[in-house]
Amino acid sequence: MNPAARIGREIRFLSGLARTLWRVRKIDSDSDDLICDDFENAVDRFEDHTALIFEGQRYTYRQLDALANRFAAWADGQGVKTGDTVALLLPNRAEYIPAWAGLAKVGAATALINNNLTGAALAHCLRISGAQHVITDKETLAAVETIRAGLAKPLTYWVIDGEDEGESRRKLDLHEPKLPPERPSRGRRAGLKARDVALYIYTSGTTGMPKAAKITHTRAQLYMRAFAGATNSNAEDKVYCALPLYHSTGGLCGVGAALLNGGTLVLRRKFSATHFWDDVADNDCTIFVYIGELCRYLVNQPPHPKERAHRLKLAFGNGLRPEVWTEFQERFGVKNILEFYGSTEGNVSMFNFDGQPGAIGRIPGYLRGSFAVRLVKFDVEAEAPVRGPDGLCLLTDVGEPGEAIGLIKDDARHNYSGYADKAASERKVLRDVFELGDAWFRTGDLMRQDAEGYFYFVDRIGDTFRWKGENVSTTEVAEVIARYPGVDEANVYGVKIDRIDGRAGMAAITPGAEFKLDGLRDFLMRELPNYARPLFIRMTPAIETTGTFKYRKVDLVRDGFDPAKIEQELYFDCPETHTYIRVTPEVYAKIQSGGFKL
C-alpha cells in the first residue's frame, strides 16, 4: 500500500472510530436515562419526520411514540410492575419497536421471542422469560398450538387485531380509548438505572436450548448509539431492514442507525431476494443492514433492472464473506461496506471502518492498549485455551488462529451482563488469563489478526454452527430427531456447501425397526424452525463415540454429503420436490454448483 493510500485508510478508520466513541461517551450504567429516553429524545427532535415505512404505511416519530404510549397504558392496565417481563412473540411489523419501547417506559423488560420457534423450544423460551403476558398476533398464535410439554404457569396471549377467545386469548386493540396516546410520567420508571434489564434476546448455544441474554439499558444504548455514529447516518437517510427485529443486528443496530438520527426505517416482514431491488429503489433507500447470507442470495440472483438504479451508499452488518463482498460491491455499485463483529451477550465488538474485504474489524497496533480485546492460543481438540507453565494464557502470533476474548470491567463498554441462567453466564467467563484474578469474556469464536491489525473470522468453537443467519444447536436438533419413532441415535453436525456461507445441517441417524423415512420430514417441519432442519440425512448402523461417550463428529464432518465417501444411504431435503431424495453423484454435483435454491 502506497503512503497516500495508507494515510487515507487511517483517516477513514479514525473518523469512524471517533464518531462511534463520541456517540457512546455519556452512557453510564448508574444513569437514570434509559433506552426509552433515547427514543423519546429522538421523537422530540424529529416529531413529524417519517420514522417507519412498513407495507406501504408511513408512521411519523410522533405516531410511533403514540403507539409506544398505548403499549405502556396497556401494561399499566394489566398491573405490569417495574421489573416485570412481558414476552413479545411477533414477526416484523409496525408495532414491534413501539411495543418494547412502551414497556420500557413503565419499567418493564421485554423478552424478544423468535417467531420461527415451535414446540419445546418455544415453550422453553416462554418459560425462562418469566413472563405472564405474551403479545402476539393472529399469524404467530398458531405456533403456540405446537407447545406440547405445557408450561408451569398459564400465560395470557394478547393478540393484536385479534378477538377474545377465553381468558388465555385476549384481544389487544391499540385503538381502544382506554389506551391513551400520551406519555406516561417518567416517575413511572423511577428507581430504574441503565444497568437494569431492558430486553432479553435469545441466542442458541451448545447446551441444547436457546439462552436468554440480558440486554441492559446500557447495552441497548451502546448498540443503538454506536451504529448511529458508525454509519454516519442523518435525517435524510432511509435504512432498509429485512432482518428479524428479535435479533440485535436488525432490532437494535439497524433501528439505532435510522431512528436516533432522525432517519427512516424501511421495514420488511421477511427478506426477499426477488423483491429487494424494487424495495430499495422504490423507497429511495440509502443504507442497507445485512447479514452476509442476504448478500450471497442477492449475488446469486439473475440480473435485475434496478440493481444499479438505486441510491444505496452504505451496507453494514456482519458475516459477509470475502468472495461475496467484492462481487456484491462491484455488481451493485454499493460504494461503502461497514462490517462489524459483536455478540448479543458479549463485550467484544469491533468495526472494519475502512472496508478491507473479509475483515470483521480492526485494532491497529498503535491503539491496542485502548481496546481490551485479545486472541489467545486455543487447543481445538481439547476445546480450551492453551496455558503456559505459569498457568496463564498465551497470546497468539500474527496470523495464528485463537479465541477472541474481552476484558470484563464495570463500565459501559466492557461490562458483561450474561444470561438469565447464571450457570450459563459463568461458563462464558475465562479467569486468571494474563494475571491472577482477572476475568475475560469468551466469545467462542476463533479469529486471526494480521500485521495491519485486521481481524478475520476463522470458525465457531464447539458444535453450534450458523445457517441462514441463525445459530443452530446440534444438541437441540438431535434431541428433536431422537423423539421421532424408530430413531435409536442421532448425531447432528454442520457441513460446508461450496460458495454458501455457514454450514448446512446434517444428521447421522441409526434407525430402529420402527423407523420410516417418509414421515421424518413432516415431523421435523412441525418441530423445528426452517433454519434448524437438517438438509441432509445419513443412515448409519452405529455412531462412533469417544472414550468419554461423546459423539465423534470429525469423520462425519470430513465426509460431508459426498456419496463417493459414504457407503450408507444418503438423502437430501430437495427444495424442488419437498421430499427427501437420494444423493447421487449427479445430485451432489448440482448442489455444489448452486443448482438448487437453498
Side-chain angles (χ1 to χ4, degrees):
M1 183 180 292
N2 62 53
R6 188 179 297 276
I7 291 171
R9 179 189 68 177
E10 296 308 312
I11 290 173
R12 289 194 300 275
F13 174 81
L14 292 173
S15 295
L17 180 61
R19 289 195 308 269
T20 305
L21 293 178
W22 181 258
R23 288 300 293 264
V24 303
R25 73 193 188 284
K26 292 185 178 179
I27 297 175
D28 181 358
S29 297
D30 293 320
S31 172
D32 296 325
D33 286 328
L34 309 180
I35 191 61
C36 49
D37 294 302
D38 284 15
F39 177 74
E40 290 186 348
N41 290 338
V43 170
D44 292 342
R45 290 179 61 200
F46 308 107
E47 287 186 331
D48 296 317
H49 287 217
T50 299
L52 177 70
I53 298 175
F54 179 71
E55 297 186 344
Q57 295 293 312
R58 291 175 176 266
Y59 300 81
T60 65
Y61 279 77
R62 191 199 307 266
Q63 288 171 325
L64 276 195
D65 193 39
L67 266 177
N69 298 334
R70 290 183 184 276
F71 277 106
W74 166 83
D76 265 339
Q78 302 311 312
V80 175
K81 303 184 297 298
T82 298
D84 285 352
T85 300
V86 175
L88 195 61
L89 179 62
L90 288 173
N92 285 4
R93 54 181 296 160
E95 295 86 355
Y96 203 102
I97 300 162
W100 64 253
L103 291 167
K105 291 183 183 216
V106 294
T110 309
L112 308 184
I113 310 293
N114 182 336
N115 65 293
N116 292 300
L117 295 178
T118 59
L122 176 58
H124 167 79
C125 289
L126 290 173
R127 183 168 57 250
I128 66 173
S129 75
Q132 292 182 309
H133 300 281
V134 182
I135 297 173
T136 186
D137 62 5
K138 289 185 288 187
E139 173 188 336
T140 314
L141 189 62
V144 176
E145 304 297 337
T146 68
I147 298 177
R148 295 182 175 84
L151 298 167
K153 61 181 181 180
L155 302 180
T156 302
Y157 298 90
W158 294 85
V159 186
I160 296 174
D161 299 329
E163 299 295 335
D164 286 337
E165 298 180 27
E167 285 299 311
S168 65
R169 309 287 172 86
R170 303 286 300 279
K171 176 180 180 179
L172 177 51
D173 183 359
L174 293 169
H175 304 289
E176 165 65 45
K178 293 180 181 178
L179 300 180
E182 290 76 32
R183 288 179 182 173
S185 165
R186 280 199 62 169
R188 181 64 177 79
R189 51 188 182 268
L192 278 183
K193 299 292 184 182
R195 67 173 65 253
D196 292 312
V197 175
L199 304 167
Y200 290 98
I201 295 181
Y202 290 76
T203 178
S204 296
T206 57
T207 56
M209 282 291 181
K211 299 188 291 291
K214 295 192 292 185
I215 306 299
T216 63
H217 291 270
T218 296
R219 184 168 292 276
Q221 289 172 322
L222 277 170
Y223 277 120
M224 296 182 71
R225 293 189 193 181
F227 281 87
T231 59
N232 203 24
S233 60
N234 58 53
E236 302 303 315
D237 282 316
K238 293 181 178 178
V239 180
Y240 185 80
C241 178
L243 299 179
L245 295 181
Y246 59 75
H247 272 178
S248 53
T249 301
L252 292 176
C253 304
V255 170
L259 300 188
L260 293 193
N261 287 342
T264 302
L265 184 71
V266 179
L267 181 67
R268 187 174 176 90
R269 191 174 294 261
K270 291 182 179 179
F271 174 78
S272 168
T274 56
H275 292 99
F276 178 86
W277 293 114
D278 287 323
D279 280 350
V280 166
D282 295 350
N283 287 290
D284 212 22
C285 294
T286 55
I287 298 175
F288 160 49
V289 54
Y290 67 79
I291 56 171
E293 194 74 349
L294 304 192
C295 299
R296 184 185 67 81
Y297 290 152
L298 291 172
V299 300
N300 286 341
Q301 288 290 302
H304 190 284
K306 296 180 182 178
E307 66 180 38
R308 293 187 72 90
H310 60 78
R311 293 184 58 236
L312 282 183
K313 62 181 182 181
L314 172 69
F316 75 95
N318 51 50
L320 185 55
R321 303 295 296 173
E323 64 273 15
V324 176
W325 186 311
T326 303
E327 184 177 356
F328 180 85
Q329 274 195 289
E330 292 179 351
R331 175 176 167 182
F332 303 128
V334 179
K335 184 177 180 180
N336 298 301
I337 289 180
L338 174 63
E339 175 82 4
F340 74 92
Y341 173 83
S343 61
T344 298
E345 74 281 20
N347 66 355
V348 175
S349 61
M350 60 185 87
F351 292 86
N352 178 359
F353 287 114
D354 41 300
Q356 173 71 13
I360 60 175
R362 182 175 179 234
I363 300 176
Y366 60 83
L367 288 178
R368 188 172 182 272
S370 301
F371 290 86
V373 179
R374 299 291 183 267
L375 299 184
V376 292
K377 293 179 183 289
F378 191 81
D379 184 332
V380 175
E381 187 173 355
E383 293 192 355
V386 175
R387 293 183 181 269
D390 58 0
L392 302 179
C393 294
L394 305 173
L395 290 171
T396 60
D397 298 321
V398 171
E400 179 186 11
E403 183 178 6
I405 59 174
L407 180 63
I408 298 172
K409 295 192 290 186
D410 191 22
D411 61 62
R413 282 178 53 200
H414 302 95
N415 182 260
Y416 167 53
S417 302
Y419 305 101
D421 181 344
K422 292 183 179 180
S425 300
E426 182 59 28
R427 285 194 292 271
K428 297 289 285 185
V429 179
L430 188 63
R431 300 188 183 279
D432 301 330
V433 179
F434 300 119
E435 59 185 41
L436 295 179
D438 65 356
W440 294 68
F441 170 75
R442 297 189 62 184
T443 64
D445 288 326
L446 296 176
M447 304 179 191
R448 59 181 174 85
Q449 187 180 21
D450 68 14
E452 300 291 330
Y454 292 104
F455 285 80
Y456 297 87
F457 180 80
V458 175
D459 208 350
R460 183 81 183 143
I461 294 168
D463 292 336
T464 298
F465 59 91
R466 286 183 73 79
W467 180 246
K468 296 185 181 297
E470 299 277 359
N471 286 339
V472 180
S473 166
T474 58
T475 304
E476 176 187 348
V477 176
E479 287 175 351
V480 170
I481 295 174
R483 297 205 304 266
Y484 182 73
V487 172
D488 288 346
E489 289 184 292
N491 192 4
V492 177
Y493 48 98
V495 294
K496 287 292 296 178
I497 300 176
D498 288 350
R499 290 183 57 82
I500 294 184
D501 292 335
R503 297 178 184 271
M506 186 165 183
I509 293 176
T510 301
E514 300 175 27
F515 180 81
K516 294 181 179 179
L517 181 66
D518 290 346
L520 178 62
R521 187 177 185 277
D522 288 341
F523 173 83
L524 296 180
M525 287 187 68
R526 292 195 305 270
E527 296 295 324
L528 290 171
N530 176 58
Y531 62 82
R533 292 196 288 269
L535 199 59
F536 302 100
I537 302 294
R538 172 179 179 171
M539 299 301 171
T540 181
I543 295 177
E544 184 181 3
T545 61
T546 67
T548 55
F549 304 103
K550 293 181 180 178
Y551 284 149
R552 181 174 172 80
K553 304 186 182 186
V554 175
D555 295 336
L556 295 173
V557 172
R558 184 191 60 217
D559 290 346
F561 56 97
D562 185 352
K565 298 179 180 178
I566 299 171
E567 296 180 357
Q568 297 90 9
E569 295 173 38
L570 183 62
Y571 297 94
F572 167 57
D573 188 352
C574 179
E576 296 176 353
T577 63
H578 304 292
T579 60
Y580 290 128
I581 63 172
R582 291 292 291 266
V583 179
T584 62
E586 293 76 16
V587 170
Y588 176 79
K590 184 175 179 180
I591 294 170
Q592 293 287 45
S593 65
F596 291 99
K597 186 177 180 181
L598 302 179

